[in-house]
Amino acid sequence: MATNTSSPKPINVVFNLPDPDQPSMSLHGEVGGTATWQSSTPNYPRFHVSFRGANPFNNEDGAKFSGENGRPVVLTLNVAGQFDYKVEQIRTDGTRKSSGPFCLGVAPSGEFKIHCPGCPPNGLSQ
């Protein structure tokens, strides 16, 4: 994915939740942008995103946000830092599957290419 470093708009990030039997995700954003977790898997139509420690929306510890197919979790990234979270996906019969922890690095506004917490130099991940 190419990034326009001269844009005055904050970077947004969208998480497309995979089937929890094949998870893999750690992404990055910027203060002022948004993070979106969405799912379209028919096997797990509902989900929760739970942060261990602070979260990038309001910095509260242990926050949990719920979504479902067609109704994503959208958070405005108000706090810079590195945030660990897990995802719990819920089948139509109510059984649950947890995955994670995953990491979301949120850089200060305008500094994504300079300082992304938890990333190698220049905010670029491998």
Side-chain angles (χ1 to χ4, degrees):
M1 178 174 80
T3 304
N4 179 352
T5 59
S6 64
S7 173
K9 295 183 180 179
I11 295 171
N12 297 320
V13 60
V14 175
F15 300 89
N16 287 306
L17 297 176
D19 186 300
D21 294 327
Q22 300 176 5
S24 175
M25 59 185 136
S26 292
L27 294 173
H28 318 278
E30 181 178 24
V31 169
T34 59
T36 303
W37 289 262
Q38 59 190 27
S39 178
S40 60
T41 177
N43 296 327
Y44 296 86
R46 294 184 301 130
F47 64 93
H48 303 297
V49 177
S50 300
F51 286 87
R52 295 182 341 169
N55 75 81
F57 172 63
N58 60 15
N59 215 26
E60 289 183 13
D61 286 346
K64 180 170 149 180
F65 303 93
S66 299
E68 59 188 59
N69 290 355
R71 191 175 62 83
V73 170
V74 180
L75 300 180
T76 300
L77 302 175
N78 296 316
V79 182
Q82 185 170 331
F83 303 93
D84 293 330
Y85 66 94
K86 69 176 185 171
V87 176
E88 182 178 53
Q89 290 174 273
I90 306 162
R91 285 188 178 271
T92 53
D93 69 3
T95 57
R96 298 165 184 254
K97 188 160 196 173
S98 292
S99 52
F102 304 107
C103 177
L104 169 60
V106 179
S109 182
E111 296 185 24
F112 180 76
K113 296 291 269 180
I114 300 166
H115 177 264
C116 184
C119 294
N122 300 322
L124 303 174
S125 60
Q126 302 294 326

